[in-house]
Amino acid sequence: MKTLAMLLPLLILLSFSNAKADSNTEATNALKSVIKEDFTVLSYATGDLNNDGLEDWVGIILVQRLSDTFQRLYVLTRKPNKSLVFAEASPVVGYTDCGGTCGSEISINEGGFIVVQFDRGGWGSANATTQFKYYKSKWRALGRKTYRIDMTTGDQSESDKNLLSGEYTSAITPEFSSGNSAGPIKRKSGIEKPVLLLLKDFDLGQF
């Protein structure tokens, strides 16, 4: 019994790993119907994207064309017959392998998905978090958060905006000057013009 108890966590882990592998294989097969070139799945997530109780797929694909590498985000949704089909994709943009210090990460949350774009280095770091949902028959960004810190000056800024309503909050810490500490944080909030950002227009390479 003790041996069985020790094996159960391992069996659960192996089962989960196999399910992830099967899901990615299924998605790869579905993507071959819309991508005519050889491609690599850079990162992906699975879950219910449209609140229909079925497991969908979202991922970033890399395609090599001669000496250049390109990236694109794809959404695959599951039909009642359990098949995965192409739903939407972002534009094709250039991709640079920076050894993990920059790029994009994907997660699924609350009937949608989140894209985190990041850039880190000796100068500091920056990231943007964008939440997408299937809203009024379109894959649309609902909210966006950004953060940036420049380690050479101490300058920091962050913002959080509801793209549907235009409501926002922001905070800026002025840079160091003449050897003094950074100035007081300047906070703002208000309402700006709503932003229509569709997945089909979303640039993975810019934030």
Side-chain angles (χ1 to χ4, degrees):
M1 292 296 292
K2 185 177 181 180
T3 301
L4 180 59
M6 294 175 63
L7 285 174
L8 278 175
L10 178 60
L11 292 173
I12 292 172
L13 178 60
L14 288 174
S15 177
F16 176 76
S17 299
N18 288 337
K20 290 278 286 184
D22 290 344
S23 178
N24 196 40
T25 299
E26 186 182 8
T28 299
N29 291 334
L31 287 167
K32 287 179 179 178
S33 67
V34 293
I35 305 175
K36 304 309 178 184
E37 304 155 292
D38 291 336
F39 62 87
T40 302
V41 178
L42 179 64
S43 62
Y44 72 96
T46 59
D48 186 1
L49 290 173
N50 48 9
N51 296 313
D52 61 1
L54 301 176
E55 184 180 78
D56 307 305
W57 186 96
V58 57
I60 296 173
I61 304 301
L62 297 184
V63 174
Q64 190 73 31
R65 296 176 183 170
L66 298 178
S67 60
D68 297 319
T69 305
F70 297 89
Q71 61 180 328
R72 194 178 194 186
L73 189 152
Y74 281 85
V75 173
L76 304 177
T77 54
R78 195 173 298 278
K79 296 299 183 181
N81 65 3
K82 307 302 182 184
S83 63
L84 278 175
V85 297
F86 170 78
E88 187 62 276
S90 66
V92 176
V93 296
Y95 171 80
T96 301
D97 186 353
C98 47
T101 61
C102 66
S104 303
E105 299 173 343
I106 299 176
S107 61
I108 291 179
N109 182 38
E110 298 178 356
F113 64 93
I114 294 172
V115 180
V116 178
Q117 300 160 278
F118 63 90
D119 187 7
R120 308 182 186 107
W123 60 271
S125 66
N127 64 65
T129 301
T130 309
Q131 183 177 18
F132 286 90
K133 282 192 176 184
Y134 191 62
Y135 179 79
K136 293 186 177 180
S137 301
K138 296 182 183 295
W139 290 96
R140 180 174 178 176
L142 303 187
R144 186 169 174 86
K145 295 180 180 181
T146 62
Y147 175 78
R148 179 183 177 89
I149 179 170
D150 187 330
M151 298 300 293
T152 63
T153 64
D155 180 40
Q156 297 182 59
S157 63
E158 59 183 281
S159 66
D160 186 352
K161 184 171 183 178
N162 183 321
L163 301 183
L164 293 181
S165 68
E167 295 177 272
Y168 75 92
T169 60
S170 65
I172 298 176
T173 301
E175 63 183 43
F176 294 97
S177 59
S178 303
N180 298 321
S181 60
I185 298 175
K186 297 180 179 179
R187 302 185 184 277
K188 290 176 60 179
S189 63
I191 299 178
E192 297 178 334
K193 183 178 179 180
V195 176
L196 176 61
L197 176 57
L198 302 178
L199 177 59
K200 68 182 185 67
D201 302 319
F202 179 67
D203 188 339
L204 274 173
Q206 297 290 330
F207 67 98

